Amino acid sequence: MHFLDQAKIYIKSGWGGGGAVGFRREKYIEYGGPDGGDGGKGGDIIFEAVPGLNTLIDFRYTQHFRAQRGHGGSGSNKTGAGGDDLVIKLPVGTQILADDEERTLLADLTKAGQRIVFLKGGDGGRGNASYKTSTNRTPRQHGTGWPGEEMYVWLRLKLLADAGLVGLPNAGKSTFINAVTNAQAKVGAYAFTTTRPQLGVVRHKQNEFVIADIPGLIEGAAEGAGIGDRFLGHIERCKVLLHLVDANDEDVATSYRIVRDELEAYGAGLLDKKIIIALNKIDTLDDELIAALSAELEEASGAEVIPISGASGVGVDWALDKLLEAIGPDHARVTDDDEGEEEIEWSPI
């Protein structure tokens, strides 16, 4: 399935149905009178967040959405049926933005099952029965129905994850997420192996949490260099970031600062989050060099550095402990692998 995290669509709620012009014509009733019913209400445009979706690719091919118009009224004071609402299903984490220069945030769907009536359908027009007065006993006027609302909006998906991976290209992010989850991220010995965000579920010490891997950042990403920083939006909701630094880089301190500077240039509070720093790919180095590089990185960052190897698994549990601690017990989900299982002593009877 192709990944798409931005889409522009046109939406329009339904017009109200027209009111009817009618008069009673019944046997044995000497005086008739107007009996035209009102028109039905137009359908609403409703956005709903549903689980199981993680892309906006469907909106690349279908970009116009119109709710049904209300049905017209009829004689015998019959009100027309309302138009069907149009429910547009979106992935959890989708934001709805105005089509303006500021891209004003209009709605944010962060929970599965969340629904919002975004555009209301137009009211139905009045039938001639509602125009009857003591001085106008045979009105022939009627309402044609009120128009619905219409607008263009941008949809932007921000994946919901508890932890996010950041680092330069080839820092080992894909290898790490493959090692700790069932994700199957592409791994290659070249830059930008990861071209789209990848989610995985970590199960660690009877807890589970979601981790997101995004394409690597390079110097100037905020200005569009490389893949740019557009995918950083997918880690805005994370509780903690794991910053991987390749131990094979010529200058690990510079590698750290490049990513740090790009996070700062992007903003959105990324530097305010808890950031765990890990020196990755230590399986290719000896203990003395690992200690020297860790000390250099700690001096540049002013924080503890965890030496790990996503390929061999060294230090991975230590990093996961730190992530779980930062996420907190209130947000990590308890797995039910052993729930409800009791040891029963075997007996042939």
Side-chain angles (χ1 to χ4, degrees):
M1 179 184 291
H2 295 289
F3 180 80
L4 185 70
D5 61 354
Q6 292 187 42
K8 181 181 179 180
I9 62 173
Y10 168 81
I11 52 177
K12 183 178 181 180
S13 57
W15 276 64
V21 175
F23 295 92
R24 295 178 62 185
R25 294 291 185 269
E26 298 180 39
K27 193 175 183 180
Y28 305 123
I29 297 181
E30 183 176 1
Y31 299 103
D35 67 350
D38 297 338
K41 177 183 171 297
D44 298 331
I45 294 289
I46 299 174
F47 287 116
E48 179 181 7
V50 298
L53 293 179
N54 57 9
T55 177
L56 298 174
I57 189 64
D58 291 340
F59 299 98
R60 171 173 290 177
Y61 309 106
T62 305
Q63 299 170 345
H64 292 78
F65 298 86
R66 296 178 175 87
Q68 189 179 39
R69 180 170 185 163
H71 296 268
S74 58
S76 300
N77 289 309
K78 293 180 180 178
T79 300
D84 293 335
D85 296 334
L86 179 59
V87 179
I88 302 175
K89 299 184 183 299
L90 301 173
V92 179
T94 302
Q95 293 182 328
I96 304 167
L97 311 172
D99 183 27
D100 54 23
E101 292 183 0
E102 293 78 18
R103 296 285 177 88
T104 306
L105 179 64
L106 303 177
D108 196 359
L109 304 178
T110 58
K111 297 180 180 179
Q114 184 178 352
R115 288 167 59 105
I116 59 169
V117 178
F118 195 76
L119 296 183
K120 292 186 177 182
D123 292 330
R126 295 166 57 188
N128 71 329
S130 65
Y131 288 95
K132 180 181 177 181
T133 66
S134 59
T135 57
N136 185 12
R137 299 191 177 188
T138 56
R140 297 185 180 274
Q141 66 263 45
H142 68 288
T144 57
W146 294 91
E149 302 173 315
E150 59 182 326
M151 65 186 306
Y152 282 93
V153 294
W154 279 92
L155 305 178
R156 183 183 182 190
L157 174 60
K158 291 184 179 179
L159 297 176
L160 297 180
D162 301 302
L165 298 178
V166 295
L168 293 174
N170 279 349
K173 301 187 301 300
S174 296
T175 299
F176 182 86
I177 196 173
N178 287 347
V180 300
T181 74
N182 289 328
Q184 296 179 344
K186 184 178 180 181
V187 177
Y190 55 90
F192 300 115
T193 307
T194 301
T195 58
R196 63 182 181 85
Q198 182 83 36
L199 288 180
V201 178
V202 178
R203 292 179 173 84
H204 181 63
K205 293 186 176 178
Q206 295 187 328
N207 291 276
E208 65 178 32
F209 57 90
V210 179
I211 192 168
D213 174 25
I214 64 170
L217 300 169
I218 64 173
E219 190 171 6
E223 285 75 42
I227 297 181
D229 62 0
R230 64 181 295 258
F231 291 118
L232 282 176
H234 295 288
I235 60 173
E236 286 184 20
R237 306 181 195 269
C238 294
K239 297 289 182 182
V240 58
L241 302 180
L242 178 61
H243 183 172
L244 298 183
V245 180
D246 189 346
N248 296 302
D249 288 345
E250 293 183 3
D251 187 342
V252 293
T254 299
S255 299
Y256 163 78
R257 293 192 188 97
I258 289 174
V259 174
R260 180 86 175 183
D261 290 345
E262 296 307 319
L263 295 179
E264 183 178 10
Y266 180 82
L270 292 185
L271 288 185
D272 297 330
K273 299 180 182 296
K274 172 71 175 178
I275 300 180
I276 298 170
I277 303 169
L279 182 68
N280 196 18
K281 303 184 182 180
I282 62 170
D283 55 299
T284 61
L285 308 175
D286 57 40
D287 292 342
E288 183 178 352
L289 187 53
I290 293 171
L293 292 175
S294 297
E296 181 181 346
L297 196 52
E298 285 181 355
E299 183 179 355
S301 64
E304 179 186 18
V305 173
I306 304 173
I308 69 169
S309 170
S312 66
V314 175
V316 169
D317 283 346
W318 184 9
L320 293 180
D321 288 342
K322 291 291 186 181
L323 290 175
L324 192 58
E325 179 183 346
I327 292 169
D330 294 336
H331 296 90
R333 292 159 290 282
V334 179
T335 60
D336 57 357
D337 296 341
D338 302 324
E339 189 175 340
E341 294 183 6
E342 298 180 3
E343 268 192 44
I344 302 176
E345 186 176 352
W346 183 83
S347 171
I349 300 177

